[in-house]
Amino acid sequence: MAKNSFKLALRLAVIVACWTNQEGRAQSSIHLYGTVDLGVRYSTNQTLSGSNLVELTPGASATSKLGINGREDLGKGTAAIFTLESALNPDTGELEDASVLFSKQSWLGIEGPFGQVTVGRQYTPLYNAEWAIEPFGLVNPYESSFIYGNYGGGTNWDNSLMYSATAGGFTGVLMTALGEKAGDTQAGRSWGASLAYADELLTFNTAYQRAHNDQRYVASEAWNIGGSVYLKPIRLFLGYLHHQSELTSQKNEVYHTGFIYDIEPNLELIGGYYHDKQRAVDGKKQTVSAMLTYRFSERTAVYVQTDYSKIDAGYSLNIFDSMKFPASQNSDGEISTFAPSRTSFMMGIRHNF
């Protein structure tokens, strides 16, 4: 089914590309876009015995995707807008999520002087705020992306309604996702909000969101705050994220900092440090990541990326950890053996279209 859906999406994309070349459609536009990113990655301690892994994998520079977006001018400053976007695994040609065709975004809306109203599958307020306050942002290195996988409460919400408005450099967002449970508006429901400011020198972002499971418990509650300052040719970042859940006494606080250094117009160095302090179930994780990117053009680049992560025994009990290190437990549920660290190195190429 997934392969058939993907073939259908490609056929639709070809039709869209042909349609956009027609004359006489000045007030409407549809665009086909995407990214293909692949790399060879070497990583240590993939098993308790210390086995290493070499793999060809979706790259660390960006998520591979295929998307279609469009806009129709409705007059008086208003427009209809939409985006349909799939995440891809170019190493196998499969969808990243075989059960969802447009796994990244699938929404429709109206924009105008009043702001923007959109409905569908959309990025959450916390996700949009977090990638703006940490140096790797929309870049996708494996170990440092644990923030989104662990504590994002889902980077996308289905069945969601969002309102956003911008004024004087500030952007505010309100969002809710319907649980769609008959007779119970709380079960499965999520909601959140964010506030951002940006100019040429400074950025500031903060967000709060909570997501309920089908039993009405708060499965994920998180907020963050941070920003950046541009001291040409370097941008410095500082941020903080707090996460908790009614499903456990565990709480996590992530402190992160880093930089983007424009060495030359076509050469960029990114570095970041992430410290995840785990409370109640005491533990910690520390990650250092760096990536050097050389751009042949606006569309094509090559890069090398490396990271090192270290955890303690308590952190291996993190029930939200999407990048668990190998570990074993004794009959009392205590950690008896675990891999305390992991080092990775990757070389890859990225092309945007």
Side-chain angles (χ1 to χ4, degrees), residues 141-330:
Y142 285 70
E143 293 297 336
S144 57
S145 66
F146 74 86
I147 302 175
Y148 308 99
N150 291 8
Y151 313 125
T155 57
N156 322 75
W157 285 346
D158 293 335
N159 310 310
S160 66
L161 299 86
M162 179 187 293
Y163 171 73
S164 63
T166 299
F170 288 91
T171 299
V173 173
L174 297 173
M175 184 176 183
T176 187
L178 306 180
E180 298 188 340
K181 306 297 180 184
D184 192 340
T185 59
Q186 190 76 352
R189 179 173 175 261
S190 303
W191 63 272
S194 65
L195 178 67
Y197 173 80
D199 61 27
E200 293 183 358
L201 178 64
L202 299 171
T203 66
F204 166 82
N205 291 72
T206 186
Y208 171 85
Q209 68 183 42
R210 61 191 299 171
H212 296 83
N213 63 15
D214 290 345
Q215 289 72 47
R216 308 179 89 248
Y217 291 105
V218 179
S220 175
E221 181 179 18
W223 64 273
N224 65 358
I225 188 169
S228 69
V229 57
Y230 186 46
L231 305 174
K232 193 173 183 179
I234 189 169
R235 182 174 290 276
L236 303 175
F237 294 80
L238 184 65
Y240 168 84
L241 179 145
H242 177 92
H243 179 268
Q244 61 189 36
S245 169
E246 291 182 350
L247 303 179
T248 176
S249 61
Q250 173 187 316
K251 297 181 180 180
N252 290 79
E253 296 179 299
V254 183
Y255 304 84
H256 51 82
T257 187
F259 64 87
I260 299 176
Y261 177 36
D262 296 322
I263 302 172
E264 295 180 359
N266 60 343
L267 187 63
E268 175 186 82
L269 176 65
I270 305 177
Y273 169 74
Y274 306 81
H275 185 106
D276 187 354
K277 178 65 176 178
Q278 186 167 287
R279 304 188 185 280
V281 184
D282 290 344
K284 67 179 180 180
K285 177 180 182 178
Q286 299 179 80
T287 296
V288 179
S289 186
M291 184 166 68
L292 183 67
T293 301
Y294 179 81
R295 291 184 291 269
F296 292 106
S297 66
E298 291 184 1
R299 296 178 178 272
T300 304
V302 292
Y303 59 88
V304 292
Q305 184 265 332
T306 187
D307 52 66
Y308 171 80
S309 293
K310 181 179 180 180
I311 66 170
D312 59 16
Y315 193 88
S316 63
L317 294 171
N318 184 347
I319 66 170
F320 299 104
D321 192 6
S322 60
M323 298 184 174
K324 280 189 175 294
F325 286 28
S328 62
Q329 298 179 331
N330 59 28

